[in-house]
Amino acid sequence: VVHRDDSEKGMLPVSLMQPPGSHGLRPSGPLFTLMFVAKAAGQGTVSVGKAVLRDPNMTAIEASGSQAIINVR
């Protein structure tokens, strides 16, 4: 897992790649889990924008993102 946070834009691009020759992932379930630590009360949005999935032959697999609103009290 690789991440490159951009605090000015409030973005955290994350990528995950399997090493060559490794076993595939399960067809359902999480790929990874994001954990946040709140710095202050407020509201924010977490969204998956550009999701690119590929099969073992590097053929693109259709994927869609989603969004969640987070409230910290």
Side-chain angles (χ1 to χ4, degrees):
V1 176
V2 176
H3 65 86
R4 298 163 303 281
D5 59 318
D6 183 343
S7 57
E8 286 186 21
K9 293 182 181 178
M11 297 179 68
L12 177 66
V14 179
S15 59
L16 169 73
M17 293 185 69
Q18 292 285 94
S22 64
H23 297 289
L25 300 170
R26 291 183 219 168
S28 64
L31 297 176
F32 52 88
T33 302
L34 299 176
M35 185 180 301
F36 300 92
V37 176
K39 292 184 176 182
Q43 187 179 72
T45 304
V46 175
S47 61
V48 176
K50 181 181 173 186
V52 179
L53 304 178
R54 298 196 180 275
D55 69 11
N57 297 318
M58 298 305 290
T59 303
I61 299 172
E62 186 175 331
S64 61
S66 60
Q67 179 173 312
I69 297 173
I70 309 298
N71 291 301
V72 178
R73 297 179 188 178

